[in-house]
Amino acid sequence: MRIAIIGTGNVGGAIARGLKGKGHAVTLGARSPDDAEVKALAAETGAGVAFPAEASARADLVILALPWGVAEGAVKALGDLSGKVVIDCMNPLGMVAGALGLTIGHATSGGEMVAGWLPGAQVVKTLNQVGAEIMAQNAHLPHRPVMFMAGDNDAAKAQVAALLADLGFEPLDAGDITKSRLLEPFGMVWINQALFRGKGRNWAFAAVEG
């Protein structure tokens, strides 16, 4: 699959590392393709590099791994992504009453806003529920980590599920895009435990049966 990762920070870099050797043609969408860190990430992961709109135009699947504060302008600058599958792995984080929290929720979600910015694209909310380290490498965990996804198109979710499996996750369908209202607070549970409750970053949720 031809995949564009828009954003080359911690999350974008981790996804690129996790997809290395999995048979996909990955292109990093970067504002500064000649940046030394971007070139180093491309060399490490075997990915190509292009400006974000160019990377998105030639991809089958686009992964949005951007800070929420710049997301709207950056996503709209990608152009018309009609017909493409788009993974939104962003959480709408900001300072709320003096602490890190979700800036929107209950009546809408970041996933729904992204879908509104990209009419015609098949937006799937996922990869927002663990830290970057677990996206890059999770084979050492005693249970296969679960990753929920939400979106309106079953075919798109099937395609995303295959990608999540390549990243080492057990994909579970949470329902339509409005279920992003569940998945974004769920991501905050991981952040709370990892950053504020002393659990650290080397863990993930699992769906354990039996």
Side-chain angles (χ1 to χ4, degrees):
M1 187 164 25
R2 296 175 300 173
I3 298 171
I5 301 175
I6 309 304
T8 56
N10 290 339
V11 172
I15 295 171
R17 293 181 180 97
L19 291 176
K20 181 180 180 180
K22 303 296 171 58
H24 301 288
V26 176
T27 301
L28 305 173
R31 291 179 301 169
S32 302
D34 291 328
D35 180 83
E37 291 187 5
V38 174
K39 286 185 173 181
L41 177 62
E44 177 189 351
T45 60
V49 182
F51 288 107
E54 179 185 353
S56 299
R58 62 192 192 205
D60 305 307
L61 184 148
V62 179
I63 300 174
L64 303 176
L66 297 158
W68 183 252
V70 304
E72 182 174 5
V75 169
K76 289 180 176 179
L78 296 177
D80 184 7
L81 300 186
S82 294
K84 295 183 185 293
V85 177
V86 177
I87 289 177
D88 167 27
C89 60
M90 304 178 291
N91 283 320
L93 297 175
M95 298 305 292
V96 180
L100 184 67
L102 295 174
T103 58
I104 56 175
H106 300 298
T108 189
S109 64
E112 290 166 89
M113 292 179 71
V114 171
W117 299 337
L118 295 172
Q122 301 298 338
V123 175
V124 178
K125 184 79 182 192
T126 193
L127 287 174
N128 70 307
Q129 301 146 49
V130 295
E133 296 86 351
I134 300 301
M135 299 181 203
Q137 174 60 257
N138 54 51
H140 61 289
L141 298 177
H143 298 287
R144 190 174 175 89
V146 69
M147 183 59 62
F148 294 98
M149 55 183 176
D152 293 336
N153 184 281
D154 288 340
K157 285 189 284 190
Q159 195 171 345
V160 171
L163 183 70
L164 293 175
D166 285 344
L167 287 169
F169 293 103
E170 176 188 357
L172 287 182
D173 189 349
D176 64 35
I177 193 65
T178 67
K179 301 308 182 289
S180 301
R181 302 177 198 182
L182 303 179
L183 302 191
E184 290 165 7
F186 188 51
M188 285 299 301
V189 175
W190 189 93
I191 291 172
N192 173 266
Q193 290 293 309
L195 303 186
F196 305 125
R197 305 297 298 173
K199 191 167 180 62
R201 301 179 64 89
N202 190 30
W203 67 282
F205 301 105
V208 182
E209 298 183 18

